[in-house]
Amino acid sequence: MGHAELWAMIAVACIFTAIGIAAGIMLNSWIQKIQKDSAIKSADKIKKDAEREAEHLLRDARVSAKAETLKMREECELELKERRREQTTNEKRLAQREELLDRRADSMDAKSKNIEKQEKEIETLRERLTAREQELAKSISRQIDELERIAGINRDEAREILLEKLKNEIKNESGLMVRNQLEEAKARSEREARRILTYAIQRYASDCTYERTTATIPLPTDEMKGRIIGREGRNIRAIEAATGVSILIDDTPEAVVISCFDPVRKEVARQLMERLIADGRIHPTRVEELAKKISKDLEEELYQVGEAAVLETGIQGVSPQIMKLLGRLKYRYSFSQNVLQHSLETSYFMGIIAAELGLDEQKAKRIGLFHDLGKAIDHEVEGPHAQIGADLLRKHNEAKDVVHAVAAHHGEVEPESLYDILISACDTLSASRPGARSETTELYLKRLEQLETIAHEFSGVESCFALQAGREIRVVVLPEKIGEGEAQMLAKDICARIEKEMTYPGQIKCTVIRETRSVEYAK
């Protein structure tokens, strides 16, 4: 193919391309024109539809507005009628009130006139009374002068006589009133206390039997005394040096006596003597070895006993030193009552009664268990055991109220809380229950003598008798010196004196007997 033909084909192709482009442009213009005409028609239709819809909405709005206007008009007319009705009612009420006020005003005017009339009458009566009082004062003055002349005493002396008589009458009446009030309060408190104490005792019942402390060691034969003494007394000196006790060997057959204020040392000496007697080998070396072993074993036992007491009561946070001191109370006795057992009893009573009264049961048990802790070392430290125990507890960071209750359980410190009073009552309850303690005949006689001596020192006492081993005293008074009301005050004074000067377990009952006899003879 030549160049001419190629160029001819290119030219033909260009022509056809130009024709296609021109045809596309014409087609696009035609399509745009058709779309424009369609859009105009649609817009006209939408506009007509909107105008018709607007006319319908406007017509509906006018109808609704007319209906709403009619409704509002009706409501306004109803409200207006209601307000007119209320206004009419209020006008009637105001008219009635005005009429009532007018009547009250007329009544007040009448009362005011009546009051003025009564004031005038009262003023007249006051003037008459003033004049009458003046006349009476003159008459009384004349009568007093006449009475002074007849009686032979002046007014001041008569006043003193009357005041003295009135004083005696008031004293007698106050004594009777105090007695009645005390009897009533005592009856109420005794009923409540009896209920609580009965409940506590019912829940805790201990044996009435008790151990008796003894320092007497039985011997198989009297020959054993010589072996205990040893050559030139070296064995007995070794025993006393190792244990810190005194060994008394007298004419008592087949027995030796151990004497020591420290109950733990006494127990070490007792066990040592029993082992030496059972073993038969008695010499200083053997004594020292056994004494050290027994002392070590006893220290462990004391801790275990104290720990067992703490676990038994259920309290927590007790230091090992306190447990060890509690264990020492196992070998301490008071009036033949074991102090550790007494502390446990007191702790039980404290817990039961505290629960009954709504107090802290754990704190109450803690106070009861620790209250006699000072007795573990009272032979080593000077002072009352209550204060010693309080100091020990204070050193071991016990609570302040626990320490104060322990210090106050014998009344040496003023009570500050219910626990202070409760520990004193529970301590007495444990100590005075039947079978808890025993006393010697000498203490009985001493108590009887001291009670009768105290009662005889009061004026007006004719005789007195101590009964029930010193737990009751009956005082017979002279009726011409002691009145009915003064007898109650005398009983109270005697009890206060007994509490101040005597030491005794439990309580002492004081009964004042006043008897008046009138005797005549028919002739």
Side-chain angles (χ1 to χ4, degrees):
M1 182 179 295
H3 290 286
E5 294 177 356
L6 179 62
W7 283 109
M9 291 177 68
I10 293 171
V12 171
C14 291
I15 291 171
F16 278 110
T17 301
I19 292 171
I21 292 171
I25 291 172
M26 291 176 65
L27 181 60
N28 189 21
S29 299
W30 183 70
I31 290 171
Q32 290 179 354
K33 183 178 180 181
I34 292 173
Q35 291 176 349
K36 183 177 180 182
D37 294 338
S38 177
I40 292 170
K41 291 179 180 180
S42 298
D44 292 338
K45 184 179 180 180
I46 291 170
K47 181 177 179 183
K48 292 178 179 180
D49 293 340
E51 289 176 353
R52 286 195 299 270
E53 184 69 22
E55 289 178 358
H56 287 300
L57 292 174
L58 182 60
R59 192 181 303 115
D60 293 340
R62 288 174 179 174
V63 172
S64 299
K66 288 181 179 179
E68 187 69 24
T69 302
L70 291 173
K71 183 178 180 181
M72 292 177 64
R73 183 179 296 173
E74 291 176 357
E75 291 177 354
C76 290
E77 289 177 355
L78 290 174
E79 185 177 357
L80 184 60
K81 289 180 181 179
E82 184 67 24
R83 289 187 178 181
R84 287 176 179 174
R85 190 182 301 111
E86 291 179 357
Q87 183 177 3
T88 303
T89 304
N90 292 333
E91 289 177 355
K92 291 181 179 179
R93 289 179 181 176
L94 288 174
Q96 292 175 357
R97 288 185 180 179
E98 288 179 356
E99 184 178 357
L100 180 62
L101 289 174
D102 291 339
R103 288 199 299 269
R104 288 185 178 179
D106 296 338
S107 176
M108 291 294 293
D109 292 339
K111 288 182 179 180
S112 177
K113 293 179 181 179
N114 191 15
I115 290 171
E116 291 177 357
K117 182 178 178 181
Q118 290 178 356
E119 287 179 351
K120 292 180 180 179
E121 294 177 355
I122 290 171
E123 186 65 27
T124 303
L125 289 174
R126 185 181 293 119
E127 293 176 357
R128 292 179 181 177
L129 287 174
T130 302
R132 183 63 177 168
E133 286 178 357
Q134 293 176 354
E135 293 178 0
L136 288 175
K138 293 179 181 179
S139 177
I140 291 171
S141 178
R142 289 194 299 270
Q143 291 177 1
I144 290 174
D145 294 338
E146 184 66 19
L147 288 173
E148 289 180 356
R149 185 184 64 80
I150 295 172
I153 57 175
N154 56 26
R155 187 179 305 179
D156 294 334
E157 292 175 350
R159 185 183 296 109
E160 291 179 359
I161 293 173
L162 290 174
L163 288 175
E164 185 65 24
K165 184 178 180 181
L166 182 61
K167 180 179 178 182
N168 293 332
E169 291 179 356
I170 292 174
K171 185 177 181 181
N172 190 29
E173 291 179 0
S174 63
L176 293 173
M177 186 180 298
V178 168
R179 185 182 66 179
N180 294 333
Q181 293 294 330
L182 287 176
E183 288 178 354
E184 183 179 354
K186 184 178 180 182
R188 288 198 305 267
S189 61
E190 282 183 355
R191 285 195 301 269
E192 184 65 17
R194 192 179 297 112
R195 183 187 68 81
I196 295 175
L197 293 180
T198 303
Y199 175 70
I201 294 172
Q202 181 183 7
R203 289 188 56 184
Y204 178 80
S206 179
D207 297 334
C208 288
T209 57
Y210 47 83
E211 294 185 58
R212 290 184 178 271
T213 181
T214 177
T216 302
I217 306 299
L219 302 178
T221 61
D222 283 339
E223 295 179 359
M224 186 60 68
K225 290 183 180 180
R227 299 180 63 183
I228 292 173
I229 295 173
R231 184 179 299 176
E232 297 178 357
R234 63 177 184 174
N235 290 344
I236 193 171
R237 286 198 299 272
I239 295 172
E240 291 178 346
T243 59
V245 302
S246 298
I247 306 298
L248 306 178
I249 300 178
D250 53 16
D251 296 336
T252 305
E254 299 180 357
V256 294
V257 178
I258 299 174
S259 176
C260 182
F261 289 105
D262 190 333
V264 177
R265 290 181 183 177
K266 186 184 295 183
E267 178 64 19
V268 172
R270 186 187 67 80
Q271 294 186 18
L272 176 62
M273 292 292 291
E274 289 179 352
R275 293 192 187 186
L276 289 174
I277 293 169
D279 186 35
R281 295 177 296 167
I282 304 176
H283 53 83
T285 304
R286 177 68 174 166
V287 168
E288 293 178 1
E289 292 176 357
L290 278 178
K292 291 180 181 179
K293 185 176 184 305
I294 293 172
S295 298
K296 184 178 179 181
D297 294 341
L298 193 60
E299 289 292 327
E300 296 178 358
E301 180 188 353
L302 294 178
Y303 180 80
Q304 293 174 0
V305 170
E307 186 180 22
V310 171
L311 292 175
E312 187 174 351
T313 54
I315 62 178
Q316 299 176 354
V318 181
S319 65
Q321 292 80 3
I322 297 296
M323 291 185 185
K324 189 174 179 180
L325 291 173
L326 284 173
R328 292 175 67 93
L329 296 179
K330 177 183 178 181
Y331 300 104
R332 180 72 158 80
Y333 291 84
S334 178
F335 296 99
S336 299
Q337 184 182 28
N338 185 269
V339 178
L340 179 59
Q341 184 63 29
H342 165 64
S343 299
L344 288 171
E345 289 181 6
T346 305
S347 178
Y348 295 144
F349 288 140
M350 285 283 289
I352 294 170
I353 299 177
E356 185 74 11
L357 297 177
L359 302 176
D360 190 341
E361 186 175 353
Q362 290 296 318
K363 182 182 292 185
K365 285 185 176 181
R366 198 179 195 92
I367 295 171
L369 185 61
F370 293 159
H371 81 285
D372 273 347
L373 189 66
K375 289 186 177 181
I377 58 171
D378 60 351
H379 56 279
E380 300 174 0
V381 182
E382 293 184 358
H385 72 272
Q387 189 60 46
I388 296 172
D391 293 339
L392 287 171
L393 295 174
R394 191 178 295 109
K395 290 178 182 178
H396 290 86
N397 299 323
E398 283 291 336
K400 291 183 179 180
D401 48 357
V402 175
V403 174
H404 191 275
V406 171
H409 80 275
H410 277 313
E412 296 162 346
V413 177
E414 289 295 327
E416 295 180 353
S417 67
L418 288 177
Y419 297 102
D420 300 353
I421 301 172
L422 187 59
I423 182 59
S424 179
C426 292
D427 179 37
T428 304
L429 179 61
S430 174
S432 60
R433 66 177 180 83
R437 294 186 174 186
S438 65
E439 292 181 295
T440 62
T441 305
E442 182 180 356
L443 291 176
Y444 283 149
L445 296 176
K446 185 177 180 181
R447 178 187 297 171
L448 297 177
E449 182 181 355
Q450 190 174 5
L451 279 174
E452 293 179 354
T453 301
I454 290 175
H456 271 300
E457 291 179 358
F458 287 87
S459 61
V461 175
E462 182 179 7
S463 60
C464 58
F465 307 94
L467 308 173
Q468 298 184 7
R471 295 186 182 273
E472 181 181 358
I473 182 169
R474 296 182 182 176
V475 181
V476 181
V477 299
L478 298 172
E480 61 271 14
K481 292 186 178 181
I482 303 296
E484 189 70 24
E486 294 173 340
Q488 179 65 40
M489 303 303 294
L490 177 62
K492 190 173 182 181
D493 294 339
I494 292 175
C495 288
R497 180 87 174 272
I498 292 172
E499 291 175 358
K500 181 179 180 181
E501 298 183 5
M502 292 184 62
T503 301
Y504 51 90
Q507 62 182 8
I508 298 176
K509 179 181 180 182
C510 179
T511 303
V512 175
I513 301 172
R514 179 182 180 274
E515 182 181 16
T516 303
R517 295 185 181 182
S518 300
V519 181
E520 291 290 340
Y521 295 95
K523 299 179 182 179

